[in-house]
Amino acid sequence: MDKIVVLDFGSQYSHLICRRIRESSVYAELVPFDISYEELQEHSPKGIIFSGGPSSVYNSKAPMPEDKIFEMNLPLLGICYGHQLIVNRFGGKVKRANREYGSSLLTVDEDRDLLNGVGRSVRAWMSHGDEAEEIPPGFQVIGHTKSARAAAIASEDRAVYGIQFHPEVVHTEQGTKILKNFVLKVCGARQDWTMEGFMESSVEKISGMEGNVLCGVSGGVDSTVAALLIHKAVGDRLKCVFVNNGLLRLDEENEIEEMFRDNFKVNFSSIDASKGFLGRLKGITDPEEKRKVVGEEFVRVFTDFAEKSDPPFKWLAQGTLYPDIIESGVSKGPAAVIKSHHNVGGLPERMNLEILEPLKELYKDEVRQIAKILNVPERLFMRHPFPGPGLSVRIIGEVTPTKLWICKVASRIVEEELLEAGLYGKVWQAYAAVGDDKAVGVVGDKRKYGSVVMIRVVDSIDAMTADWTRLPHELLEKISNRITNEIEEVTWVTYAVSSKPPATIEPQ
């Protein structure tokens, strides 16, 4: 299978480069920026991409790849910081510039190779504080913006390219086209990355693992697909366990049990651990601490279950995805932690079970493709993503019985109204959150002091970036009226209009 290797220099968008390339049915893998020349050779890449990053190439501690990597005679593309690396390495000059963040108009000077078919001018997403003052000998400018005269450069005889903007984010028009040009036209990679192939190789790999597998299933598409993949590999050596942590959507615990028992021929059990989770969360307000508490409690419950089992389990399987890993800071490069995920950053070091994560290299839409192949009911794999720590991260401040009830009922109302309007399947995620804020309302000519509910609805492709959804005002009004009328404790309803970045999809 042909492969493109992406060297990660710390950009939060690094994984998106891989994702966009995979859309072209070409496998892309993220590796550390300081990977050795020998290790990189073992990957046998068709091309190499340098990601963006927060550093400046002229700083003494700036991350640098091995010099030999530049001498591999492979097609090379540098993005943002990677662009500056190429300028610096091949004899150009990078200087400090006015910070440019946001959309700029890219004018294409050369309509061939990297920018072939992109158009005369397109919107490009910039995020940088440095720029090329002098381009290296043998390079030419193939694209420019008003503030960056060398926004895209090329040395076509060496197949080396640099672009100052980020083609991997959806804000760049024709960004996927640019990456596709590099991968298919410049690198000549074959389009042989498919979910059928991934399934086949995963099943083969897992089937060679010894020992029984304990898989925690939440009812979401990620853990369900992970369980079904593992079941194909190990059969009865898999045991699926659903843990009711008390932080689920309204009536979800009953729906999950019914779904597994009616649709999947796997060994399934459920555990009601809601009192333990809610008890451990009492008094905790810090969101990171809540996430870690939930993660630790999950592990404790699973470990207790495993210790009582005969024969014993060796593996604890989880539905961890690529975005979970990058946001938890478990990146290939020097990335920052955005938030801990209960099945990544929240896991304690001491565990009696080894971790099995068959989906950790995939994105949500790729998992949904596998779900279709495995004949998972559409109502399951098209359901909106739900955070592993459950409603604890949609309840700002301490998790209390009142706030938990408000969050459950209000979220159900949001989902019902989106379904009624035919919009549920067209948005990425929708829910209601609640905190400690109170506001005055008037009910039956009487003053009332109640909770404020925040509605959050976003559009996204893979959760790495997201934009708030422009819902019709009439629908927002209907949702607000239902929440304030049907939930006695609520007086105000607000709508979140922050995109990711700078915000995140979940409030905590």
Side-chain angles (χ1 to χ4, degrees), residues 203-457:
V203 169
E204 182 180 356
K205 180 180 178 180
I206 296 169
S207 62
M209 295 179 176
E210 297 180 353
N212 295 321
V213 183
L214 175 63
C215 183
V217 293
S218 65
V221 65
D222 304 335
S223 61
T224 300
V225 168
L228 295 180
L229 262 183
I230 295 168
H231 184 254
K232 285 178 70 70
V234 305
D236 292 340
R237 288 196 284 130
L238 170 70
K239 173 72 174 183
C240 293
V241 177
F242 162 64
V243 176
N244 176 11
N245 59 11
L247 302 165
L248 305 171
R249 289 170 280 209
L250 191 64
D251 297 326
E252 189 169 22
E253 58 273 20
N254 297 323
E255 295 171 1
I256 291 170
E257 289 194 41
E258 179 182 336
M259 178 189 66
F260 265 87
R261 298 192 192 282
D262 293 348
N263 292 281
F264 310 126
K265 296 179 180 180
V266 298
N267 193 351
F268 175 83
S269 294
S270 63
I271 301 172
D272 185 356
S274 54
K275 289 184 179 179
F277 279 88
L278 297 178
R280 287 207 55 193
L281 286 168
K282 190 173 182 179
I284 296 177
T285 59
D286 180 76
E288 276 296 283
E289 190 175 354
K290 284 195 288 187
R291 286 177 173 270
K292 290 179 179 179
V293 163
V294 171
E296 290 168 1
E297 189 65 10
F298 264 117
V299 172
R300 187 193 67 77
V301 172
F302 285 127
T303 302
D304 288 348
F305 182 89
E307 289 175 348
K308 297 173 184 177
S309 299
D310 187 23
F313 293 100
K314 181 179 180 180
W315 303 92
L316 173 61
Q318 300 180 137
T320 309
L321 302 187
Y322 239 171
D324 300 338
I325 292 172
I326 184 63
E327 288 193 334
S328 294
V330 190
S331 173
K332 304 291 185 179
V337 174
I338 297 175
K339 58 187 177 184
S340 296
H341 286 258
H342 84 287
N343 54 348
V344 183
L347 291 178
E349 294 180 3
R350 294 179 60 187
M351 290 186 62
N352 296 324
L353 300 173
E354 296 183 50
I355 298 297
L356 175 58
E357 297 169 319
L359 309 179
K360 66 180 180 180
E361 302 296 331
L362 300 184
Y363 294 92
K364 180 71 74 173
D365 57 325
E366 292 177 318
V367 175
R368 284 174 171 157
Q369 291 178 43
I370 296 177
K372 287 184 179 180
I373 299 170
L374 293 172
N375 295 317
V376 174
E378 185 175 357
R379 64 184 177 87
L380 168 62
F381 69 74
M382 291 309 295
R383 193 169 191 184
H384 291 172
F386 189 67
L391 299 181
S392 68
V393 295
R394 294 179 180 174
I395 295 172
I396 302 169
E398 183 183 3
V399 177
T400 66
T402 298
K403 288 197 286 186
L404 185 58
W405 175 250
I406 291 172
C407 206
K408 284 175 179 276
V409 178
S411 290
R412 173 61 64 88
I413 290 171
V414 172
E415 290 188 353
E416 287 177 349
E417 291 303 325
L418 286 174
L419 283 167
E420 178 69 22
L423 295 175
Y424 181 86
K426 297 179 180 179
V427 302
W428 174 263
Q429 202 163 346
Y431 64 86
V434 65
D436 295 316
D437 290 343
K438 301 283 186 177
V440 174
V442 178
V443 180
D445 296 326
K446 292 183 180 179
R447 174 190 172 94
K448 181 179 178 181
Y449 198 48
S451 295
V452 177
V453 164
M454 179 192 76
I455 305 303
R456 179 75 156 144
V457 185

